[in-house]
Amino acid sequence: MRWLVLSDIHGNWEALEAILEHAAGRYDQILNCGDLVGYGPDPNAVTEWCRNNTPLVVRGNHDKACVGLLDLEWFNKVARASAEWTMAALTEENRAYLYALPQGPREVEGFQILHGSPEDEDEYIVNLDDAERIESQLDHALSFFGHTHLQGGFWIRRNGVRRISTPAVNIEETAFYLINPGSVGQPRDGNPNAAYAIYLPEERHVEYHRVAYDVPRVQQKIVNAGLPEILAYRLMIGS
Ligand code: ZN
């Protein structure tokens, strides 16, 4: 069973489409670490696609915010404006689906998926200290997560925590792994290309990938929708 690993699609249909084309034929199933919506101009198209294609999914903080499950006071001005726009744009069916999304961590055969940290989908695992701090909360040696929009992740051994260097990592039996596929729809690691990973359990191997997509088209949609223009700008610089 080969897995396509997605996270933080954020209503970016063009980025998702580019990834599906790029990864075609190289996976059997899809897992989704949350934040289907928020920021991007196509929350309905993305949610509908996820409803039909990613039964293995956990909710993200933006999914909560866009259906009223999170107080928008926690969000900055731009995130709040986009959550309010998304809330108004969602169809009733898609809203109900997002509302009912399961909270992570969610167990699968041999690994788990989550959005932020095992205890809080809004907690960021950004640096080595963060990874070390949450180690005791990990129920599995292999976890897929998102939220930071930074491709890579961490591996943890008795003698310390290291960053995983992309574009690939072999999963050793003696270590814990936190794998972040990066963000499909709003990368923040300085590379504007859409991010995803492929997990090959039999080979105990994870590959990281980046794909160029039609950023100007998404930027135009963001502007036309009346979403904050900074959301269009940041797609170009991957920040
Ligand atoms: Zn996100």
Side-chain angles (χ1 to χ4, degrees), residues 78-103:
V78 170
R80 196 184 316 160
S82 88
E84 282 164 355
W85 180 90
T86 304
M87 211 180 278
L90 284 170
T91 65
E92 193 43 51
E93 257 185 325
N94 287 335
R95 203 197 72 86
Y97 170 80
L98 292 170
Y99 192 90
L101 278 180
Q103 183 175 1

PDB file of all heavy atoms in Angstrom, residues 78-103:
ATOM      1  N   VAL A  78      -5.881  38.647   9.164  1.00  0.00           N
ATOM      2  CA  VAL A  78      -5.988  38.043   7.827  1.00  0.00           C
ATOM      3  C   VAL A  78      -6.645  36.660   7.909  1.00  0.00           C
ATOM      4  O   VAL A  78      -7.544  36.333   7.118  1.00  0.00           O
ATOM      5  CB  VAL A  78      -4.587  37.954   7.171  1.00  0.00           C
ATOM      6  CG1 VAL A  78      -4.633  37.112   5.916  1.00  0.00           C
ATOM      7  CG2 VAL A  78      -4.076  39.359   6.858  1.00  0.00           C
ATOM      8  N   ALA A  79      -6.199  35.863   8.877  1.00  0.00           N
ATOM      9  CA  ALA A  79      -6.766  34.518   9.033  1.00  0.00           C
ATOM     10  C   ALA A  79      -8.254  34.623   9.379  1.00  0.00           C
ATOM     11  O   ALA A  79      -9.077  33.834   8.900  1.00  0.00           O
ATOM     12  CB  ALA A  79      -6.021  33.749  10.118  1.00  0.00           C
ATOM     13  N   ARG A  80      -8.593  35.612  10.198  1.00  0.00           N
ATOM     14  CA  ARG A  80      -9.996  35.785  10.590  1.00  0.00           C
ATOM     15  C   ARG A  80     -10.852  36.191   9.386  1.00  0.00           C
ATOM     16  O   ARG A  80     -11.921  35.634   9.156  1.00  0.00           O
ATOM     17  CB  ARG A  80     -10.093  36.852  11.681  1.00  0.00           C
ATOM     18  CG  ARG A  80     -11.423  36.802  12.403  1.00  0.00           C
ATOM     19  CD  ARG A  80     -11.557  37.917  13.422  1.00  0.00           C
ATOM     20  NE  ARG A  80     -10.339  38.069  14.204  1.00  0.00           N
ATOM     21  CZ  ARG A  80     -10.013  39.164  14.893  1.00  0.00           C
ATOM     22  NH1 ARG A  80     -10.815  40.217  14.873  1.00  0.00           N
ATOM     23  NH2 ARG A  80      -8.902  39.221  15.590  1.00  0.00           N
ATOM     24  N   ALA A  81     -10.338  37.149   8.598  1.00  0.00           N
ATOM     25  CA  ALA A  81     -11.093  37.588   7.410  1.00  0.00           C
ATOM     26  C   ALA A  81     -11.305  36.415   6.453  1.00  0.00           C
ATOM     27  O   ALA A  81     -12.395  36.245   5.889  1.00  0.00           O
ATOM     28  CB  ALA A  81     -10.346  38.724   6.712  1.00  0.00           C
ATOM     29  N   SER A  82     -10.278  35.585   6.290  1.00  0.00           N
ATOM     30  CA  SER A  82     -10.428  34.465   5.355  1.00  0.00           C
ATOM     31  C   SER A  82     -11.358  33.396   5.926  1.00  0.00           C
ATOM     32  O   SER A  82     -12.106  32.762   5.191  1.00  0.00           O
ATOM     33  CB  SER A  82      -9.066  33.882   4.966  1.00  0.00           C
ATOM     34  OG  SER A  82      -8.652  32.898   5.866  1.00  0.00           O
ATOM     35  N   ALA A  83     -11.333  33.218   7.247  1.00  0.00           N
ATOM     36  CA  ALA A  83     -12.251  32.238   7.869  1.00  0.00           C
ATOM     37  C   ALA A  83     -13.699  32.705   7.707  1.00  0.00           C
ATOM     38  O   ALA A  83     -14.593  31.907   7.401  1.00  0.00           O
ATOM     39  CB  ALA A  83     -11.913  32.056   9.344  1.00  0.00           C
ATOM     40  N   GLU A  84     -13.915  34.006   7.881  1.00  0.00           N
ATOM     41  CA  GLU A  84     -15.283  34.530   7.724  1.00  0.00           C
ATOM     42  C   GLU A  84     -15.757  34.408   6.278  1.00  0.00           C
ATOM     43  O   GLU A  84     -16.889  34.033   6.007  1.00  0.00           O
ATOM     44  CB  GLU A  84     -15.339  35.990   8.199  1.00  0.00           C
ATOM     45  CG  GLU A  84     -15.384  36.071   9.720  1.00  0.00           C
ATOM     46  CD  GLU A  84     -15.044  37.454  10.271  1.00  0.00           C
ATOM     47  OE1 GLU A  84     -14.680  38.355   9.489  1.00  0.00           O
ATOM     48  OE2 GLU A  84     -15.145  37.598  11.516  1.00  0.00           O
ATOM     49  N   TRP A  85     -14.844  34.701   5.341  1.00  0.00           N
ATOM     50  CA  TRP A  85     -15.187  34.570   3.918  1.00  0.00           C
ATOM     51  C   TRP A  85     -15.518  33.111   3.596  1.00  0.00           C
ATOM     52  O   TRP A  85     -16.506  32.807   2.914  1.00  0.00           O
ATOM     53  CB  TRP A  85     -14.008  35.062   3.059  1.00  0.00           C
ATOM     54  CG  TRP A  85     -14.275  34.954   1.587  1.00  0.00           C
ATOM     55  CD1 TRP A  85     -14.841  35.904   0.785  1.00  0.00           C
ATOM     56  CD2 TRP A  85     -14.034  33.813   0.750  1.00  0.00           C
ATOM     57  NE1 TRP A  85     -14.955  35.423  -0.508  1.00  0.00           N
ATOM     58  CE2 TRP A  85     -14.473  34.143  -0.550  1.00  0.00           C
ATOM     59  CE3 TRP A  85     -13.492  32.539   0.969  1.00  0.00           C
ATOM     60  CZ2 TRP A  85     -14.383  33.259  -1.627  1.00  0.00           C
ATOM     61  CZ3 TRP A  85     -13.407  31.649  -0.093  1.00  0.00           C
ATOM     62  CH2 TRP A  85     -13.848  32.020  -1.381  1.00  0.00           C
ATOM     63  N   THR A  86     -14.681  32.187   4.106  1.00  0.00           N
ATOM     64  CA  THR A  86     -14.879  30.760   3.825  1.00  0.00           C
ATOM     65  C   THR A  86     -16.198  30.271   4.411  1.00  0.00           C
ATOM     66  O   THR A  86     -16.950  29.520   3.772  1.00  0.00           O
ATOM     67  CB  THR A  86     -13.708  29.930   4.405  1.00  0.00           C
ATOM     68  OG1 THR A  86     -12.482  30.439   3.869  1.00  0.00           O
ATOM     69  CG2 THR A  86     -13.841  28.460   4.061  1.00  0.00           C
ATOM     70  N   MET A  87     -16.465  30.704   5.625  1.00  0.00           N
ATOM     71  CA  MET A  87     -17.707  30.305   6.307  1.00  0.00           C
ATOM     72  C   MET A  87     -18.930  30.661   5.456  1.00  0.00           C
ATOM     73  O   MET A  87     -19.860  29.871   5.309  1.00  0.00           O
ATOM     74  CB  MET A  87     -17.776  31.054   7.641  1.00  0.00           C
ATOM     75  CG  MET A  87     -18.486  30.315   8.738  1.00  0.00           C
ATOM     76  SD  MET A  87     -18.494  31.315  10.251  1.00  0.00           S
ATOM     77  CE  MET A  87     -16.872  30.971  10.897  1.00  0.00           C
ATOM     78  N   ALA A  88     -18.879  31.862   4.872  1.00  0.00           N
ATOM     79  CA  ALA A  88     -20.015  32.312   4.057  1.00  0.00           C
ATOM     80  C   ALA A  88     -20.062  31.585   2.713  1.00  0.00           C
ATOM     81  O   ALA A  88     -21.141  31.398   2.140  1.00  0.00           O
ATOM     82  CB  ALA A  88     -19.906  33.829   3.837  1.00  0.00           C
ATOM     83  N   ALA A  89     -18.888  31.176   2.215  1.00  0.00           N
ATOM     84  CA  ALA A  89     -18.827  30.560   0.884  1.00  0.00           C
ATOM     85  C   ALA A  89     -19.198  29.077   0.881  1.00  0.00           C
ATOM     86  O   ALA A  89     -19.656  28.549  -0.131  1.00  0.00           O
ATOM     87  CB  ALA A  89     -17.418  30.728   0.307  1.00  0.00           C
ATOM     88  N   LEU A  90     -18.998  28.396   2.005  1.00  0.00           N
ATOM     89  CA  LEU A  90     -19.199  26.939   2.037  1.00  0.00           C
ATOM     90  C   LEU A  90     -20.659  26.555   1.796  1.00  0.00           C
ATOM     91  O   LEU A  90     -21.577  27.185   2.324  1.00  0.00           O
ATOM     92  CB  LEU A  90     -18.776  26.376   3.402  1.00  0.00           C
ATOM     93  CG  LEU A  90     -17.274  26.246   3.670  1.00  0.00           C
ATOM     94  CD1 LEU A  90     -17.023  25.908   5.143  1.00  0.00           C
ATOM     95  CD2 LEU A  90     -16.637  25.199   2.759  1.00  0.00           C
ATOM     96  N   THR A  91     -20.849  25.494   1.012  1.00  0.00           N
ATOM     97  CA  THR A  91     -22.200  24.958   0.852  1.00  0.00           C
ATOM     98  C   THR A  91     -22.586  24.239   2.148  1.00  0.00           C
ATOM     99  O   THR A  91     -21.715  23.877   2.953  1.00  0.00           O
ATOM    100  CB  THR A  91     -22.263  23.925  -0.299  1.00  0.00           C
ATOM    101  OG1 THR A  91     -21.454  22.792   0.066  1.00  0.00           O
ATOM    102  CG2 THR A  91     -21.771  24.514  -1.607  1.00  0.00           C
ATOM    103  N   GLU A  92     -23.852  24.031   2.339  1.00  0.00           N
ATOM    104  CA  GLU A  92     -24.325  23.385   3.561  1.00  0.00           C
ATOM    105  C   GLU A  92     -23.722  21.993   3.727  1.00  0.00           C
ATOM    106  O   GLU A  92     -23.300  21.595   4.812  1.00  0.00           O
ATOM    107  CB  GLU A  92     -25.865  23.329   3.544  1.00  0.00           C
ATOM    108  CG  GLU A  92     -26.494  22.972   4.876  1.00  0.00           C
ATOM    109  CD  GLU A  92     -25.839  23.684   6.072  1.00  0.00           C
ATOM    110  OE1 GLU A  92     -25.673  24.917   6.054  1.00  0.00           O
ATOM    111  OE2 GLU A  92     -25.460  22.966   7.027  1.00  0.00           O
ATOM    112  N   GLU A  93     -23.643  21.250   2.615  1.00  0.00           N
ATOM    113  CA  GLU A  93     -23.071  19.892   2.653  1.00  0.00           C
ATOM    114  C   GLU A  93     -21.608  19.899   3.073  1.00  0.00           C
ATOM    115  O   GLU A  93     -21.178  19.079   3.879  1.00  0.00           O
ATOM    116  CB  GLU A  93     -23.150  19.279   1.257  1.00  0.00           C
ATOM    117  CG  GLU A  93     -24.254  18.264   1.095  1.00  0.00           C
ATOM    118  CD  GLU A  93     -24.165  17.634  -0.280  1.00  0.00           C
ATOM    119  OE1 GLU A  93     -23.795  18.341  -1.235  1.00  0.00           O
ATOM    120  OE2 GLU A  93     -24.482  16.435  -0.373  1.00  0.00           O
ATOM    121  N   ASN A  94     -20.848  20.818   2.476  1.00  0.00           N
ATOM    122  CA  ASN A  94     -19.419  20.882   2.802  1.00  0.00           C
ATOM    123  C   ASN A  94     -19.192  21.355   4.230  1.00  0.00           C
ATOM    124  O   ASN A  94     -18.289  20.885   4.912  1.00  0.00           O
ATOM    125  CB  ASN A  94     -18.683  21.799   1.810  1.00  0.00           C
ATOM    126  CG  ASN A  94     -18.531  21.148   0.451  1.00  0.00           C
ATOM    127  OD1 ASN A  94     -18.542  19.921   0.353  1.00  0.00           O
ATOM    128  ND2 ASN A  94     -18.403  21.950  -0.591  1.00  0.00           N
ATOM    129  N   ARG A  95     -20.030  22.286   4.673  1.00  0.00           N
ATOM    130  CA  ARG A  95     -19.922  22.764   6.048  1.00  0.00           C
ATOM    131  C   ARG A  95     -20.152  21.608   7.027  1.00  0.00           C
ATOM    132  O   ARG A  95     -19.416  21.418   7.994  1.00  0.00           O
ATOM    133  CB  ARG A  95     -20.950  23.867   6.304  1.00  0.00           C
ATOM    134  CG  ARG A  95     -20.595  24.797   7.448  1.00  0.00           C
ATOM    135  CD  ARG A  95     -21.820  25.581   7.925  1.00  0.00           C
ATOM    136  NE  ARG A  95     -22.734  24.690   8.635  1.00  0.00           N
ATOM    137  CZ  ARG A  95     -22.627  24.423   9.925  1.00  0.00           C
ATOM    138  NH1 ARG A  95     -21.693  24.993  10.655  1.00  0.00           N
ATOM    139  NH2 ARG A  95     -23.462  23.576  10.498  1.00  0.00           N
ATOM    140  N   ALA A  96     -21.174  20.815   6.750  1.00  0.00           N
ATOM    141  CA  ALA A  96     -21.499  19.680   7.630  1.00  0.00           C
ATOM    142  C   ALA A  96     -20.358  18.660   7.649  1.00  0.00           C
ATOM    143  O   ALA A  96     -20.019  18.101   8.690  1.00  0.00           O
ATOM    144  CB  ALA A  96     -22.794  19.012   7.164  1.00  0.00           C
ATOM    145  N   TYR A  97     -19.761  18.449   6.491  1.00  0.00           N
ATOM    146  CA  TYR A  97     -18.635  17.507   6.414  1.00  0.00           C
ATOM    147  C   TYR A  97     -17.458  18.001   7.254  1.00  0.00           C
ATOM    148  O   TYR A  97     -16.872  17.250   8.046  1.00  0.00           O
ATOM    149  CB  TYR A  97     -18.217  17.339   4.951  1.00  0.00           C
ATOM    150  CG  TYR A  97     -16.922  16.591   4.775  1.00  0.00           C
ATOM    151  CD1 TYR A  97     -16.875  15.206   4.839  1.00  0.00           C
ATOM    152  CD2 TYR A  97     -15.721  17.281   4.554  1.00  0.00           C
ATOM    153  CE1 TYR A  97     -15.679  14.518   4.698  1.00  0.00           C
ATOM    154  CE2 TYR A  97     -14.518  16.603   4.411  1.00  0.00           C
ATOM    155  CZ  TYR A  97     -14.505  15.226   4.484  1.00  0.00           C
ATOM    156  OH  TYR A  97     -13.318  14.564   4.345  1.00  0.00           O
ATOM    157  N   LEU A  98     -17.114  19.284   7.111  1.00  0.00           N
ATOM    158  CA  LEU A  98     -15.981  19.843   7.864  1.00  0.00           C
ATOM    159  C   LEU A  98     -16.264  19.823   9.363  1.00  0.00           C
ATOM    160  O   LEU A  98     -15.384  19.563  10.177  1.00  0.00           O
ATOM    161  CB  LEU A  98     -15.689  21.277   7.402  1.00  0.00           C
ATOM    162  CG  LEU A  98     -15.143  21.424   5.978  1.00  0.00           C
ATOM    163  CD1 LEU A  98     -15.141  22.895   5.559  1.00  0.00           C
ATOM    164  CD2 LEU A  98     -13.726  20.846   5.867  1.00  0.00           C
ATOM    165  N   TYR A  99     -17.513  20.092   9.705  1.00  0.00           N
ATOM    166  CA  TYR A  99     -17.915  20.131  11.114  1.00  0.00           C
ATOM    167  C   TYR A  99     -17.684  18.763  11.768  1.00  0.00           C
ATOM    168  O   TYR A  99     -17.323  18.665  12.931  1.00  0.00           O
ATOM    169  CB  TYR A  99     -19.393  20.527  11.212  1.00  0.00           C
ATOM    170  CG  TYR A  99     -19.841  20.870  12.607  1.00  0.00           C
ATOM    171  CD1 TYR A  99     -19.755  22.190  13.067  1.00  0.00           C
ATOM    172  CD2 TYR A  99     -20.345  19.895  13.464  1.00  0.00           C
ATOM    173  CE1 TYR A  99     -20.151  22.517  14.347  1.00  0.00           C
ATOM    174  CE2 TYR A  99     -20.752  20.216  14.748  1.00  0.00           C
ATOM    175  CZ  TYR A  99     -20.652  21.530  15.183  1.00  0.00           C
ATOM    176  OH  TYR A  99     -21.039  21.859  16.454  1.00  0.00           O
ATOM    177  N   ALA A 100     -17.909  17.719  10.990  1.00  0.00           N
ATOM    178  CA  ALA A 100     -17.841  16.357  11.537  1.00  0.00           C
ATOM    179  C   ALA A 100     -16.458  15.712  11.375  1.00  0.00           C
ATOM    180  O   ALA A 100     -16.271  14.551  11.749  1.00  0.00           O
ATOM    181  CB  ALA A 100     -18.895  15.491  10.856  1.00  0.00           C
ATOM    182  N   LEU A 101     -15.496  16.436  10.839  1.00  0.00           N
ATOM    183  CA  LEU A 101     -14.163  15.835  10.641  1.00  0.00           C
ATOM    184  C   LEU A 101     -13.608  15.343  11.976  1.00  0.00           C
ATOM    185  O   LEU A 101     -13.724  16.025  12.995  1.00  0.00           O
ATOM    186  CB  LEU A 101     -13.189  16.873  10.069  1.00  0.00           C
ATOM    187  CG  LEU A 101     -13.224  17.133   8.573  1.00  0.00           C
ATOM    188  CD1 LEU A 101     -12.178  18.195   8.216  1.00  0.00           C
ATOM    189  CD2 LEU A 101     -12.970  15.865   7.767  1.00  0.00           C
ATOM    190  N   PRO A 102     -12.968  14.161  11.980  1.00  0.00           N
ATOM    191  CA  PRO A 102     -12.438  13.639  13.235  1.00  0.00           C
ATOM    192  C   PRO A 102     -11.208  14.404  13.712  1.00  0.00           C
ATOM    193  O   PRO A 102     -10.436  14.921  12.903  1.00  0.00           O
ATOM    194  CB  PRO A 102     -12.067  12.195  12.882  1.00  0.00           C
ATOM    195  CG  PRO A 102     -11.874  12.194  11.419  1.00  0.00           C
ATOM    196  CD  PRO A 102     -12.769  13.256  10.850  1.00  0.00           C
ATOM    197  N   GLN A 103     -11.068  14.452  15.020  1.00  0.00           N
ATOM    198  CA  GLN A 103      -9.898  15.077  15.626  1.00  0.00           C
ATOM    199  C   GLN A 103      -8.749  14.057  15.650  1.00  0.00           C
ATOM    200  O   GLN A 103      -8.977  12.885  15.922  1.00  0.00           O
ATOM    201  CB  GLN A 103     -10.274  15.474  17.057  1.00  0.00           C
ATOM    202  CG  GLN A 103      -9.189  16.203  17.793  1.00  0.00           C
ATOM    203  CD  GLN A 103      -9.646  16.676  19.161  1.00  0.00           C
ATOM    204  OE1 GLN A 103     -10.795  16.440  19.559  1.00  0.00           O
ATOM    205  NE2 GLN A 103      -8.773  17.315  19.893  1.00  0.00           N
TER     206      GLN A 103
END
